[in-house]
Amino acid sequence: MTSTTYRSPLLDLPGAAPLQDTEALIDATGVAWHYGDPLGEQRRAHSGVVVVDRSHRRVVQVTGPDTEEFLNNLLSQKFLDTAEGFGASALDLDMQGRVLHHADIVRTAEGVLLDVPSAQLDSFLSFLQKMVFWSQVEVTEAELAVLTLLGAAGDVALPAAVVASRKVDWSAVERRDLLVPRSELKAVVAELRAAGVEPAGLMAFTAERVRALEPERAADLDEKSIPHEVP
């Protein structure tokens, strides 16, 4: 799977349409930009709950007894003494304090999962693997996909296939990210739809992301960006 060849199986859902602007900087390759009613999909996030396909993101898994200390020494987020289910964002900075990678993270019983835009997977994974040295950790790509619930996510019973979830503090709408096995992506969404959770495209997610003042690496930041520009 690469950033240019990925095609989500959820693009087979009725009305699914990818982003047509091939020059857009928004990370949207391979997933639905909308399902035929982009404004209605965003409104449903405020009146109920929707599920957004963000499976184009890639997931890195770090496991081993030194996981917390290893990541704490490399990234901007504090990892020491974090409990299972802890979710946040973390930055990889260069020597001048400029942002190289921006990952969303969640603590699991086995270690830490970090998801990044597809285009950043290779460089981020390589960076972490090169920094292992004597640390007792294993750094691999996890075959997991990201789904996001927008709306009253607390009212939704999560499918059994969900490996991990994290709540993200957005003020205008509740957001909960789910990490699921890629092989179970269609089944998980089918189960959510059976429970009344309809799909919404990445356009609705992007509108809420902008409202929450959360930047996207390629679209909103550049090689000179510093942490103060990443809430």
Side-chain angles (χ1 to χ4, degrees), residues 29-75:
T29 302
V31 296
W33 185 236
H34 62 79
Y35 293 90
D37 183 17
L39 297 181
E41 292 162 22
Q42 187 180 354
R43 285 194 294 269
R44 281 193 289 276
H46 290 268
S47 62
V49 59
V50 297
V51 58
V52 180
D53 181 11
R54 300 175 64 224
S55 61
H56 57 316
R57 291 179 67 82
R58 307 282 284 278
V59 182
V60 173
Q61 179 173 256
V62 182
T63 57
D66 292 342
T67 292
E68 289 185 350
E69 183 178 8
F70 173 73
L71 292 174
N72 197 74
N73 290 338
L74 295 177
L75 304 179

Side-chain angles (χ1 to χ4, degrees), residues 72-129:
N72 197 74
N73 290 338
L74 295 177
L75 304 179
S76 64
Q77 183 58 243
K78 179 182 178 181
F79 286 87
L80 300 179
D81 302 319
T82 52
E84 182 178 349
F86 170 78
S89 292
L91 304 176
D92 165 34
L93 308 175
D94 68 10
M95 294 293 289
Q96 285 74 43
R98 296 168 180 164
V99 178
L100 297 177
H101 301 98
H102 180 193
D104 288 336
I105 66 171
V106 61
R107 186 76 163 88
T108 68
E110 295 76 24
V112 175
L113 298 172
L114 310 95
D115 59 276
V116 296
S118 182
Q120 288 208 306
L121 183 277
D122 290 342
S123 59
F124 186 55
L125 184 62
S126 175
F127 163 67
L128 292 179
Q129 290 175 335

Side-chain angles (χ1 to χ4, degrees), residues 1 5-14 16-17 29-32 35 53-56 145-147 180-190 193 199:
M1 170 182 156
T5 62
Y6 178 67
R7 184 184 188 279
S8 171
L10 301 182
L11 277 173
D12 294 330
L13 292 178
T29 302
V31 296
Y35 293 90
D53 181 11
R54 300 175 64 224
S55 61
H56 57 316
V146 180
L147 295 170
V180 306
R182 289 195 175 275
S183 59
E184 299 290 331
L185 182 60
K186 289 183 70 174
V188 168
V189 171
R193 294 185 71 191

